[in-house]
Amino acid sequence: MINRVVLVGRLTRDPELRNTNSGNAVCSFTVAVDNRTKNPDGSKSTSFIPCVVFQQQADNVGKFTRKGSLVGIEGRLNQRNYQKQDGTKASVLEVICDNVS
């Protein structure tokens, strides 16, 4: 099985850098990527892809990128399920980044 993602896009907001209880850095951000297809009115369509990066790469993304930064991402898709505070189940599809340039 192959699970590989390569994206080039711009950050929609400043990345969120935090540390886990064990001290590992985790950085979350969203990348806006233009689609090849257009909307029915002829305007371009955009996908907003949530991404997560860990450890040293997370520190670098948090320090050196800001909203609007152009980034290249290599990673894999990950789907996780969790329970919200109100008791309903939710699912998130995100890119776990191996490399962010």
Side-chain angles (χ1 to χ4, degrees):
M1 303 283 180
I2 298 174
N3 181 1
R4 201 78 191 138
V5 175
V6 178
L7 300 171
V8 175
R10 295 194 180 273
L11 299 186
T12 60
R13 56 181 159 65
D14 289 344
E16 297 175 19
L17 180 62
R18 60 191 184 284
N19 290 312
T20 63
N21 293 336
S22 59
N24 293 326
V26 179
C27 188
S28 301
F29 55 96
T30 302
V31 177
V33 179
D34 290 338
N35 297 323
R36 288 185 177 191
T37 59
K38 295 189 177 195
N39 292 325
D41 64 358
S43 63
K44 67 180 179 180
S45 64
T46 304
S47 294
F48 299 93
I49 313 295
C51 301
V52 179
V53 63
F54 298 94
Q55 299 184 355
Q56 184 62 44
Q57 283 274 326
D59 287 330
N60 291 339
V61 170
K63 289 178 187 175
F64 300 114
T65 63
R66 296 287 171 255
K67 177 180 178 179
S69 296
L70 183 66
V71 293
I73 295 169
E74 296 177 66
R76 66 187 191 284
L77 279 179
N78 184 54
Q79 183 177 16
R80 59 186 170 87
N81 300 309
Y82 65 97
Q83 192 168 5
K84 294 182 180 180
Q85 290 181 347
D86 63 3
T88 60
K89 293 182 180 181
S91 178
V92 175
L93 188 64
E94 60 195 357
V95 176
I96 305 298
C97 303
D98 297 327
N99 186 23
V100 179
S101 326

